[in-house]
Amino acid sequence: MVDVAALVAGAREGAPRAVARLISLVEGASPQLREVMAALAPHCGNAYVVGLTGSPGVGKSTTTSALVTAYRAQGRRVGVLAVDPSSPFSGGALLGDRVRMGEHASDPGVYIRSMATRGHLGGLAWAAPQAIRVLDAAGCDVVLVETVGVGQSEVEIAAQADTSVVLLAPGMGDGIQAAKAGILEIGDAYVVNKADRDGAGATVRELNHMLGLGEARRPGDWRPPVVKAVAARGEGVEEMVAALDKHRGWMEEHGVLAERRAARAAKEIENIALTALRERMGELRGGKRLDALAARVVEGSLDPYAAADALVEGVTEG
Amino acid sequence: MVDVAALVAGAREGAPRAVARLISLVEGASPQLREVMAALAPHCGNAYVVGLTGSPGVGKSTTTSALVTAYRAQGRRVGVLAVDPSSPFSGGALLGDRVRMGEHASDPGVYIRSMATRGHLGGLAWAAPQAIRVLDAAGCDVVLVETVGVGQSEVEIAAQADTSVVLLAPGMGDGIQAAKAGILEIGDAYVVNKADRDGAGATVRELNHMLGLGEARRPGDWRPPVVKAVAARGEGVEEMVAALDKHRGWMEEHGVLAERRAARAAKEIENIALTALRERMGELRGGKRLDALAARVVEGSLDPYAAADALVEGVTEG
């Protein structure tokens, strides 16, 4: 058994190996997961969590790296969680340009972790919040969660973050994609990266136009800013940080930060509870109860709702 | 209140309006949903469910329509469920080429229904199985479930179908996409449609190659066939039907059909039960229990796992 208390103490003192070990424990759903989470709880709640999402090729890693540099210059400790989508089947992460983060690898004020989303459901939803908690408890002032915007991952990231940043690049047909994927509803800020390319102005205009088309905002509502950047040259990074600071300030002023964190915690608790209940269902009558009910549904002697009632009864009445 | 027994009787006699009304009831999660499902149960289990998925532009509707024609020529009754992906936010369906199915609209042996997937989770998983049951009980010999392969929808469709068909078209970079999306693991048969286009042969070869690269098959394992077709001209449709018949025969011979249906029913029951339990969680202490636990997690006096334990306890001990 791992000495969890010692690991947490080590992480709190800034030992990168202790942080890495803790993330491995929570990511791997170790039997000590509960012990780890209980030990982390009192130290959580300080980190500002920023989600960064966008299609492949918009420069997410470069932008993340530039943000790390900017926050480090302010003396803040930064955690980076790079979530890589993977096949729901292979379980393998499509790593790649993580190397661009290399410049920060030797900085003791920066923790960088890549994470695969194992399976299409649950992967990100389960592992990421726990890993964020580790980085939070380890004293990170800011946690940047970077993910490729494919399928639902950007929506999930938005649900995990205090502030969600959507990255785009000129001339990638992102405008139409944005509308389709619903990213117009998840971004608290938009960054048009590679803004030295043709069409940057048009992309910014299109985005601003579409953001303005949304349902009528009430006075005081947040209007997501659109920032132009060339992250590879550090251009626009100051503006990005300013936009994030502004959003954080707005959220604090309007009670939105507390609201978002409470909603996130509620969702997380609910997910963990449902997983526990699903396990109990699977274990009913030595794992035979659900199979027996399914057989009756297949043969038509029971409908799935009546079967579900029987299953719920089994779980809730021991 | 709707007279469910009369509707089910009407549907069994082939009244299209009764079928449509029943689907609306189950799709809209009507208060009479349970009554409907109970009334349908004894009449379910006869339909052969075929899922068709593929990227936009591969000709899914055309292929579905061609399959309907082929099955109708055999005198079989056919149901078509066209599942349209929608933004998790808008709730609106991106309908479109449903009109291509128009030629079957006046055929009393064909039921066609479009369905939006409301919300990224649950939409397809919930509504589609119930709608399939309606079509099954209404006497359809074959139910074709067609969906655009975006995000996880193709995986969900594969989970609902007895046989999953993945459609591709030449020169769409589908090969690489296929590998990424994991569709190589969900197809029981592959159709390279628009095979009169350049590159059809290469797509077929690439697919066959990749299908061969999968983990070593045991003797007797199903090897998904790759069929070339030009559905708009009816070419290759006979081969598709033959491939489907062959797969169905193989599944019956090896007990796989019964296995799949049992697994599907088990998953469905579990999902319904979990939804019921989630509702109970939300209702605990007048809806305040989860909020109170979330507040404690946010302030760090409780970890999410301990909070989940408390929530589960509340649900299972009344």
Side-chain angles (χ1 to χ4, degrees):
Chain A
M1 298 290 272
V2 178
D3 184 343
V4 170
L7 271 187
V8 171
R12 304 268 311 145
E13 283 160 16
R17 292 193 54 161
V19 175
R21 190 86 185 85
L22 284 169
I23 294 183
S24 295
L25 283 174
V26 299
E27 192 182 26
S30 138
Q32 287 180 283
L33 175 60
R34 282 163 173 271
E35 193 186 343
V36 172
M37 297 321 294
L40 293 175
H43 310 297
C44 287
N46 303 308
Y48 172 50
V49 182
V50 178
L52 292 112
T53 188
S55 306
V58 296
K60 278 180 303 299
S61 292
T62 312
T63 305
T64 303
S65 186
L67 281 172
V68 171
T69 304
Y71 281 124
R72 288 300 295 144
Q74 296 179 358
R76 305 208 219 173
R77 295 179 75 183
V78 184
V80 176
L81 206 56
V83 182
D84 288 287
S86 58
S87 155
F89 303 101
S90 76
L94 298 171
L95 295 176
D97 46 8
R98 278 302 83 66
V99 287
R100 292 194 209 160
M101 299 293 297
E103 58 177 301
H104 301 293
S106 59
D107 180 344
V110 181
Y111 300 109
I112 299 167
R113 179 75 174 213
S114 283
M115 226 172 179
T117 61
R118 293 162 302 169
H120 68 291
L121 283 177
L124 184 57
W126 294 105
Q130 321 300 349
I132 291 170
R133 274 170 200 283
V134 173
L135 293 168
D136 185 359
C140 290
D141 302 296
V142 180
V143 175
L144 304 172
V145 184
E146 177 203 324
T147 192
V148 176
V150 280
Q152 288 304 320
S153 60
E154 67 267 81
V155 178
E156 290 180 22
I157 273 295
Q160 302 300 338
D162 294 324
T163 298
S164 288
V165 180
V166 175
L167 282 95
L168 300 102
M172 292 180 64
D174 275 302
I176 296 155
Q177 283 179 9
K180 270 195 185 168
I183 65 163
L184 287 175
E185 315 201 22
I186 63 165
D188 299 307
Y190 292 83
V191 173
V192 176
N193 193 30
K194 305 187 178 181
D196 51 347
R197 290 195 183 170
D198 284 349
T203 301
V204 170
R205 274 192 304 278
E206 190 185 358
L207 253 177
N208 271 317
H209 178 64
M210 287 193 294
L211 289 167
L213 283 182
E215 48 195 287
R217 289 170 207 282
R218 289 155 303 183
D221 272 5
W222 177 252
R223 168 70 155 86
V226 178
V227 178
K228 278 169 80 168
V230 186
R233 293 204 301 258
E235 293 172 24
V237 178
E238 223 171 283
E239 289 79 359
M240 271 188 251
V241 171
L244 292 172
D245 285 347
K246 198 175 166 193
H247 184 244
R248 185 181 186 168
W250 175 86
M251 285 195 296
E252 281 169 348
E253 193 186 329
H254 292 81
V256 175
L257 187 58
E259 247 172 51
R260 284 194 177 188
R261 289 183 172 181
R264 207 156 78 207
K267 189 77 199 155
E268 193 181 348
I269 296 166
E270 197 186 64
N271 282 340
I272 296 167
L274 285 170
T275 300
L277 288 166
R278 181 185 281 125
E279 276 168 19
R280 284 199 199 184
M281 285 180 191
E283 288 160 5
L284 283 176
R285 302 204 187 158
K288 300 288 179 207
R289 182 82 174 121
L290 181 53
D291 289 347
L293 290 167
R296 292 194 56 198
V297 168
V298 170
E299 75 183 20
S301 66
L302 199 68
D303 74 82
Y305 283 82
D309 288 344
L311 196 61
V312 167
E313 202 176 299
V315 169
T316 57
E317 298 182 0
Chain B
M1 298 289 272
V2 178
D3 185 343
V4 170
L7 272 186
V8 171
R12 303 269 309 147
E13 282 160 19
R17 292 192 56 160
V19 175
R21 189 86 186 84
L22 283 170
I23 295 184
S24 295
L25 284 174
V26 300
E27 192 182 27
S30 138
Q32 287 180 282
L33 175 60
R34 283 164 173 273
E35 193 186 342
V36 172
M37 297 321 294
L40 294 175
H43 311 295
C44 287
N46 303 309
Y48 171 51
V49 182
V50 178
L52 292 113
T53 188
S55 306
V58 297
K60 279 181 302 299
S61 292
T62 312
T63 306
T64 303
S65 186
L67 281 172
V68 171
T69 304
Y71 282 123
R72 288 300 295 144
Q74 297 180 357
R76 305 208 220 174
R77 296 179 74 183
V78 184
V80 176
L81 207 56
V83 182
D84 288 287
S86 60
S87 155
F89 302 101
S90 76
L94 299 171
L95 295 176
D97 47 8
R98 277 305 83 66
V99 286
R100 291 194 211 159
M101 300 293 295
E103 58 177 300
H104 301 293
S106 59
D107 180 344
V110 182
Y111 301 108
I112 300 167
R113 179 74 173 212
S114 283
M115 228 175 179
T117 61
R118 295 162 301 170
H120 68 292
L121 283 178
L124 184 57
W126 293 105
Q130 321 301 349
I132 292 169
R133 274 171 200 284
V134 172
L135 294 168
D136 185 359
C140 290
D141 302 296
V142 180
V143 175
L144 304 173
V145 185
E146 176 202 324
T147 193
V148 176
V150 281
Q152 289 304 321
S153 59
E154 65 269 80
V155 179
E156 289 179 22
I157 274 295
Q160 302 300 338
D162 294 324
T163 297
S164 288
V165 180
V166 176
L167 281 95
L168 301 101
M172 291 181 65
D174 275 303
I176 296 156
Q177 283 178 9
K180 270 194 184 168
I183 64 163
L184 287 176
E185 315 201 23
I186 63 165
D188 298 308
Y190 293 82
V191 173
V192 176
N193 193 30
K194 305 187 178 179
D196 50 347
R197 290 195 184 169
D198 284 349
T203 302
V204 171
R205 275 192 303 278
E206 191 185 359
L207 253 177
N208 271 317
H209 177 65
M210 288 194 294
L211 288 167
L213 283 181
E215 48 194 290
R217 290 170 205 282
R218 288 156 302 183
D221 272 6
W222 177 253
R223 168 72 155 84
V226 178
V227 178
K228 278 168 81 169
V230 186
R233 294 203 301 257
E235 293 172 22
V237 177
E238 221 172 287
E239 290 80 358
M240 271 188 251
V241 171
L244 292 173
D245 286 345
K246 197 176 166 191
H247 183 244
R248 185 180 185 169
W250 176 87
M251 285 195 297
E252 281 169 347
E253 192 186 334
H254 292 81
V256 174
L257 187 60
E259 249 172 49
R260 284 194 178 187
R261 289 183 172 182
R264 207 156 78 206
K267 189 78 200 155
E268 194 181 347
I269 296 167
E270 197 186 64
N271 283 340
I272 296 167
L274 285 170
T275 300
L277 288 165
R278 180 185 282 125
E279 275 167 20
R280 283 200 200 184
M281 286 180 190
E283 287 161 5
L284 282 177
R285 300 202 188 160
K288 299 288 178 207
R289 183 80 175 124
L290 181 53
D291 290 347
L293 291 167
R296 291 194 57 198
V297 168
V298 170
E299 76 183 21
S301 66
L302 198 68
D303 74 83
Y305 283 82
D309 288 344
L311 197 62
V312 166
E313 203 175 299
V315 169
T316 57
E317 296 181 3

